[in-house]
Amino acid sequence: VAAPAVWNNPAKGAMISRASENERGRDRGKHRARPVAPFWLWAVAIAAAVLGSQPSASGAAGLEGRESDPVVLTGDAVRPLAPVEPGHLVAYRVSGESWEQVPVQVDERVDVDFRSLYPFPDQDFVKGGPLVVNAYADPGTLVGPDDDPMIDDDDEIAMMAADTGERVSSETGTGPDGLPDGPRVEVEVRDPLDDRLAYLYLFRGPQGADQGAGGDYVKYEFDLLAGDYLTAYGFVDGPNPEASSVDTDYYLTGHSDRWIDDELRLKAGGATGVDVLDREKAQFYPGYCGRSTDSFSGYTSASAEGTFIANIDGPVRAIRSYLGANSGPYTQRESVFYERRQDVRTFLRVHAIPQVMQFTDYSAAAAGMTYRNQLNPGGVTIDGIPDPVTPGVPAAVPDAASAWEQVSGPQGSIDIVTTLRTDIQGLGVTSYYLDNASPGGGAETQCTGDASAYGSSGSWINTALPNTDPRTAGANYLTSTKTLFYGGPEASVARAESHRASVDSPLSVASSELTIPDAEPPGGARLKVSARPTRRRIRAGAYRRYRVAVRNRGAAASGRVRVCIAIPGNRVRRIGGRRCRIRDSIPAGNRVRMVFRVRVRNRVRTGVRPAVRFAVKEDGRTIRTVVRRLRVS
């Protein structure tokens, strides 16, 4: 029997069972274990009105426009700190002349034979040789803990771009007070879209260090209704009902079984907080119900083996990773939840199947929202009344390019970016859309969830797929990544395009052992630097002036001072004057000023944020690097 065909399914939702009693075996209702009271909605509305889409409390600095994006390193980045236990790593940023602690999370990874994740390795469906995969370690599942109790090279260290800061200088010193002596690691984060740089710093902290820095961006509660996972889970057959949830300041999702996501509430910027999700869905093709998220979970199939790889809740992100979709026991879905974003990766590992599609079916509460995608930027209204939507995807999608979709309205907004990675030649990829409150039979048959299709939309591989089970020699591979950005009401097409660009050009990260510029000698010169304006909006083709001032607040005259402008990339150019300005000396208590002029090149698109850097050196020694950002509008 053909096995599960699944891509990444993100929109997340699940705690609300909308299926009929015949479909589910019982009606679990609308998350009775965790009802949402009117007061909760009222409180969220007030909080959202106050907070809007502002960065996290600890993320007031950071890379503007990249606040949703994670900064993820592998464990080899902290070799200068080795050996260090995962719970001892702490992170800081520099803001002005002070150090501020920011959240950091270490997720250990380990090589595991997926056969061992089913407690019956002699069963036919898991025979055929080992399948060793590097996966997240979890003492609460059959993966178990990492064999190495220290941070090793394949472990992951997660932080947020919203928490990045400035680079250290002689004024900030080697690190915050109270940390043990030893090496420190500098993490340089670069935005490839405009070459902006920002920094984070990693240290070996004391026993019992607060890695959340007093905060918690994501709260994940894995709640298996049958009891403890290791003793109560039905590995051979489902269903295995859950009342699991992921909750952040920007969204809430619910999960009522391994493959069943059926709740999504948007919370940012005055969003209404209503549940806009019916179901996240996966099946072979429209109207075919033989394989679906219900059959994967054991509601409509006698054979529905499955197992969890990891359920991880940390201060920076949550991870929900599992295996098993009918005759694809090693097909894997992995969701990584951040404060404003969710990454859903689906690894297809199954025998040949006819087609496969993954899509989101919204609930009646989503009525009035607008659906858009790259081929239909004008959008159509989700209202249960059929609309003409041009099918298809950008031509480059089968070759690993991305495509975006957007659902936006008073209820909040979701930007969805889907990317495929595969070696299958001639893959046919198109889009899917159905908006009909009373769909018919045939291709409109609703296999899971309720009887309606509100803005039902997603991706569809409409050609046959060859074997992707790596236990068979010569197998192909296909991995789908679906990245969801959750935001406030009435998002624009420009925002969706910006999120697509951020997925296509992820932040680049480099790390090195921290070295600090030599401090000014006691009683000597003490140079302070400022550059104005700190931020400025500008039109393409326009000119701007930067006024740089260097003041000597020390007790003696400075040495030779050199101030240079550098402009990464080619979007901005310097106008007139020398690139570097030199002063033989600045007397104690005196200040020198200089002006640099720049021009944004014509045709630079709106929303780009090019960086302008000023490096100040005394006698060849770097004193300070100041970065200022323009915003093209």
Side-chain angles (χ1 to χ4, degrees), residues 230-502:
L230 291 174
T231 59
Y233 199 76
F235 295 94
V236 179
D237 273 324
N240 288 284
E242 301 176 43
S244 300
S245 63
V246 174
D247 195 1
T248 84
D249 286 344
Y250 285 75
Y251 64 95
L252 180 146
T253 69
H255 312 267
S256 57
D257 211 314
R258 197 172 67 253
W259 285 93
I260 298 178
D261 303 339
D262 52 11
E263 181 178 9
L264 173 61
R265 299 176 187 272
L266 304 168
K267 299 163 62 176
T272 61
V274 297
D275 178 11
V276 297
L277 182 65
D278 175 30
R279 289 283 293 271
E280 284 294 333
K281 298 185 176 184
Q283 56 198 58
F284 284 169
Y285 46 83
Y288 176 76
C289 301
R291 288 292 178 260
S292 70
T293 51
D294 272 9
S295 73
F296 302 164
S297 303
Y299 289 94
T300 61
S301 173
S303 176
E305 62 278 355
T307 184
F308 271 93
I309 297 171
N311 288 293
I312 296 170
D313 178 33
V316 175
R317 63 185 187 176
I319 299 169
R320 178 179 168 90
S321 182
Y322 49 83
L323 290 176
N326 295 126
S327 54
Y330 295 132
T331 291
Q332 179 184 354
R333 169 69 55 82
E334 184 171 87
S335 289
V336 183
F337 303 86
Y338 298 96
E339 183 184 35
R340 315 179 194 198
R341 160 178 165 171
Q342 180 185 354
D343 298 344
V344 184
R345 297 182 282 266
T346 302
F347 306 88
L348 193 67
R349 302 185 184 108
V350 70
H351 54 70
I353 56 176
Q355 299 180 28
V356 64
M357 61 189 304
Q358 62 168 6
F359 56 104
T360 304
D361 186 15
Y362 297 94
S363 71
M369 301 180 83
T370 299
Y371 172 81
R372 304 181 181 95
N373 63 27
Q374 262 172 278
L375 300 185
N376 298 270
V380 293
T381 301
I382 297 174
D383 53 10
I385 301 173
D387 296 291
V389 172
T390 302
V393 294
V397 165
D399 297 318
S402 65
W404 65 261
E405 301 172 88
Q406 183 184 75
V407 175
S408 180
Q411 300 91 329
S413 300
I414 315 161
D415 295 338
I416 305 170
V417 181
T418 301
T419 305
L420 287 177
R421 296 286 186 272
T422 185
D423 62 352
I424 301 171
Q425 299 299 311
L427 196 67
V429 184
T430 189
S431 61
Y432 171 75
Y433 187 79
L434 178 63
D435 189 31
N436 193 332
S438 301
E444 294 188 357
T445 300
Q446 299 300 293
C447 298
T448 62
D450 63 23
S452 299
Y454 279 91
S456 195
S457 50
S459 303
W460 177 11
I461 298 178
N462 58 2
T463 54
L465 287 92
N467 174 56
T468 53
D469 188 334
R471 294 174 296 172
T472 303
N476 293 96
Y477 71 85
L478 189 148
T479 300
S480 170
T481 300
K482 195 171 175 182
T483 305
L484 297 95
F485 297 86
Y486 299 109
E490 310 298 354
S492 65
V493 168
R495 195 189 80 164
E497 288 282 6
S498 175
H499 283 148
R500 184 191 62 81
S502 70

Side-chain angles (χ1 to χ4, degrees), residues 62-64 164-167 186-192 194-200 507-510 568 609-613 625-629:
L63 286 167
E64 182 183 358
T164 55
E166 304 166 24
R167 195 171 195 180
E186 178 180 80
V187 178
E188 181 182 85
V189 183
R190 184 178 73 88
D191 183 350
D194 52 20
D195 284 324
R196 286 178 298 152
L197 293 175
Y199 296 87
L200 290 160
L507 298 172
S508 65
V509 182
R609 296 172 293 277
V612 179
R613 296 187 209 142
T625 299
V626 178
V627 179
R628 294 293 177 251
R629 298 163 188 161

Side-chain angles (χ1 to χ4, degrees), residues 73-86 88-92 104 106 150-152 157 159 174 179-187 201-205 211 511-514:
L73 311 172
T74 50
D76 57 354
V78 295
R79 283 181 186 169
L81 306 181
V84 57
E85 296 180 37
H88 285 200
L89 191 72
V90 291
Y92 283 79
V104 63
V106 179
M150 301 297 175
I151 297 177
D152 54 30
I157 300 161
M159 298 169 284
T174 59
L179 292 180
D181 293 334
R184 287 97 196 275
V185 170
E186 178 180 80
V187 178
Y201 295 89
L202 296 170
F203 304 86
R204 185 188 294 111
Q211 292 182 305
S511 64
S512 60
E513 188 168 351
L514 175 61

Side-chain angles (χ1 to χ4, degrees), residues 106-164:
V106 179
D107 296 309
E108 296 186 274
R109 294 182 68 92
V110 64
D111 290 341
V112 59
D113 183 353
F114 275 5
R115 292 184 307 172
S116 67
L117 303 188
Y118 291 101
F120 33 80
D122 294 330
Q123 288 261 70
D124 286 343
F125 70 85
V126 291
K127 284 183 177 180
L131 178 59
V132 177
V133 178
N134 188 257
Y136 290 106
D138 184 353
T141 71
L142 292 173
V143 175
D146 192 348
D147 296 335
D148 187 341
M150 301 297 175
I151 297 177
D152 54 30
D153 286 359
D154 62 357
D155 295 341
E156 289 184 352
I157 300 161
M159 298 169 284
M160 294 305 298
D163 289 328
T164 55

Side-chain angles (χ1 to χ4, degrees), residues 38-82:
F39 176 80
W40 181 90
L41 293 174
W42 174 79
V44 166
I46 293 178
V50 175
L51 296 176
S53 297
Q54 298 303 311
S56 309
S58 64
L63 286 167
E64 182 183 358
R66 289 284 202 158
E67 294 89 351
S68 299
D69 296 344
V71 175
V72 181
L73 311 172
T74 50
D76 57 354
V78 295
R79 283 181 186 169
L81 306 181

Side-chain angles (χ1 to χ4, degrees), residues 499-545:
H499 283 148
R500 184 191 62 81
S502 70
V503 170
D504 286 349
S505 301
L507 298 172
S508 65
V509 182
S511 64
S512 60
E513 188 168 351
L514 175 61
T515 57
I516 304 293
D518 295 333
E520 295 91 347
R526 187 164 177 251
L527 301 181
K528 298 287 186 179
V529 183
S530 65
R532 297 287 185 272
T534 56
R535 292 185 182 180
R536 169 159 284 180
R537 291 185 176 272
I538 188 170
R539 297 189 308 276
Y543 297 83
R544 286 294 181 266
R545 294 192 310 161

